[in-house]
Amino acid sequence: MIAAGEAPLSVSPLGEADQGPPPGTGCGQRGRAGSFLACVRDVSALRWHPDDVRDRARGAFLGLALGDALGATVEFMTPGEIAAAHGVHREIVGGGWLRLRRGRVTDDTEMSLCLARSIAAAGGLDLRDVAERFAAWLRGGPADVGNTVRRGIRRYMHDGTLEAPPAVGDAGNGAVMRMLPVALATLADRERLAREAVAQGHLTHHHPLSDAACVHLGELLHLACLGGSRGRLRRHSDAFAVQVPAFRFDPYRGLATGYVVDTLQTVLHHFHRSDGFESCLVAVVNQGGDADTTGAIAGALAGAYYGSEALPARWLRRLEAPVREEVEALATGLVAASPLLQGGEGWV
């Protein structure tokens, strides 16, 4: 809901902006159960074009997969180890501790695909269907799966519950890494984004910091897909960091662990100071740590901001073709069914 005295942010299909697309900015507001709900302070209209939104959505989902595949090679390495082994790691070559084929993705993309397939098939977020798809994925023996994710899926398989109990140990990045499909499916509906971001997260992660990270990333993805400028996305993140000080990313602490705070700080620091898709992802994954996840999240955000044409062609050629084709199709379908392109009211 919008805080008292605030006007809603409107979005309207007016075409391209004069000096690059003008976005909105926002702040954080603590909601029930510690979840993070956005409030919009900038009442300027966002101007967007359907073809541009679709392109940015494709860029976001492809960017997620590219960042995942790029980062997996150096996951769990330190920056010094990466420098010694690769110089600057900037190519999709596979390998890493998982010994992946070149161009293969990990759980970040695979769980995002499970969620996207479910939303597309069900016409919206059906938590039981999502949980069943996660369970089938886990039974299939994925190359990698986080401990909290595994525990949450196994809980569902054992007792059928769709929400993990609140837990101090649930502040990992496994919920935020798969947020993109929810963001695309809820374009222009801020309240639905917040509600569904938290709901999908609670399947495996029930912690206020995970909730906050999921919703803030979703808001940034909305703004980026709608053509938000760099300055306004930065103001949105700055306001978020004031409201939830744990996520302050300036000055940057240089940590890129699986702790959701470290993950989001790494993504926000490098996204907000980069000048292109490739430079953003290269900087993020060379921090090491949980590099497939920081790469996937940064790739989704940078892909939405810079658009699909900014994605390096050499990286796209190395991404496994079935994954590349499916994420493009799902991104287009999710946006087509979103409130934005179904004539919704906008961010009100």
Side-chain angles (χ1 to χ4, degrees), residues 184-201:
L184 297 181
T186 60
L187 278 171
D189 191 331
R190 181 175 55 81
E191 290 193 353
R192 181 179 156 195
L193 165 67
R195 182 174 64 251
E196 295 187 1
V198 171
Q200 71 81 26

Side-chain angles (χ1 to χ4, degrees), residues 57 61 115-116 118-120 123-125 179-190 192-193 196 218 221-222 225 330-342:
F61 217 150
L115 185 53
S118 177
I119 293 171
L125 184 65
M179 254 301 299
L180 176 62
V182 167
L184 297 181
T186 60
L187 278 171
D189 191 331
R190 181 175 55 81
R192 181 179 156 195
L193 165 67
E196 295 187 1
L221 288 165
H222 275 200
C225 284
L330 284 168
T332 301
L334 291 173
V335 169
S338 71
L340 183 75
L341 297 190
Q342 290 296 312

Side-chain angles (χ1 to χ4, degrees), residues 86-161:
H86 302 280
V88 176
H89 174 57
R90 60 185 327 119
E91 302 300 335
I92 294 177
V93 294
W97 77 278
L98 291 171
R99 301 181 184 276
L100 297 175
R101 297 188 305 273
R102 185 177 72 179
R104 185 177 174 185
V105 296
T106 74
D107 52 337
D108 304 85
T109 305
E110 290 168 353
M111 293 196 80
S112 297
L113 282 169
C114 287
L115 185 53
R117 291 166 186 150
S118 177
I119 293 171
L125 184 65
D126 180 330
L127 288 176
R128 192 161 301 280
D129 186 71
V130 174
E132 285 291 333
R133 291 173 187 266
F134 284 171
W137 169 75
L138 185 62
R139 291 189 193 101
D144 188 26
V145 55
N147 291 332
T148 307
V149 166
R150 186 190 302 275
R151 183 172 66 246
I153 296 173
R154 284 181 170 172
R155 184 208 71 252
Y156 168 76
M157 293 166 68
H158 179 261
D159 60 25
T161 55

Side-chain angles (χ1 to χ4, degrees), residues 24-56:
T25 185
C27 72
Q29 173 182 322
R30 281 292 187 181
R32 186 171 56 185
S35 63
F36 182 85
L37 300 178
C39 61
V40 178
R41 294 198 182 280
D42 188 333
V43 298
S44 302
L46 290 172
R47 294 187 287 181
W48 53 272
H49 188 281
D51 289 342
D52 184 57
V53 175
R54 284 188 283 265
D55 175 76
R56 292 175 185 275

Side-chain angles (χ1 to χ4, degrees), residues 96-301:
W97 77 278
L98 291 171
R99 301 181 184 276
L100 297 175
R101 297 188 305 273
R102 185 177 72 179
R104 185 177 174 185
V105 296
T106 74
D107 52 337
D108 304 85
T109 305
E110 290 168 353
M111 293 196 80
S112 297
L113 282 169
C114 287
L115 185 53
R117 291 166 186 150
S118 177
I119 293 171
L125 184 65
D126 180 330
L127 288 176
R128 192 161 301 280
D129 186 71
V130 174
E132 285 291 333
R133 291 173 187 266
F134 284 171
W137 169 75
L138 185 62
R139 291 189 193 101
D144 188 26
V145 55
N147 291 332
T148 307
V149 166
R150 186 190 302 275
R151 183 172 66 246
I153 296 173
R154 284 181 170 172
R155 184 208 71 252
Y156 168 76
M157 293 166 68
H158 179 261
D159 60 25
T161 55
L162 296 173
E163 182 175 83
V168 173
D170 279 11
N173 56 23
V176 69
M177 75 184 189
R178 62 183 191 243
M179 254 301 299
L180 176 62
V182 167
L184 297 181
T186 60
L187 278 171
D189 191 331
R190 181 175 55 81
E191 290 193 353
R192 181 179 156 195
L193 165 67
R195 182 174 64 251
E196 295 187 1
V198 171
Q200 71 81 26
H202 283 185
L203 284 168
T204 56
H205 293 67
H206 195 156
H207 192 284
L209 291 174
S210 174
D211 295 348
C214 286
V215 179
H216 182 61
L217 177 65
E219 291 170 348
L220 290 179
L221 288 165
H222 275 200
L223 290 171
C225 284
L226 289 168
S229 72
R230 178 190 303 276
R232 293 196 182 184
L233 267 72
R234 175 61 192 253
R235 291 195 297 274
H236 195 81
S237 290
D238 286 343
F240 167 70
V242 169
Q243 290 294 315
V244 191
F247 287 99
R248 287 177 180 163
F249 56 94
D250 188 9
Y252 175 51
R253 299 184 303 153
L255 303 177
T257 73
Y259 178 40
V260 72
V261 170
D262 294 343
T263 294
L264 202 61
Q265 286 175 338
T266 294
V267 170
L268 295 179
H269 170 76
H270 288 293
F271 171 75
H272 287 305
R273 72 198 302 263
S274 64
D275 59 3
F277 177 87
E278 182 173 347
S279 64
C280 176
L281 263 65
V282 168
V284 165
V285 302
N286 278 273
Q287 288 292 145
D290 201 1
D292 60 333
T293 297
T294 55
I297 296 170
L301 183 54

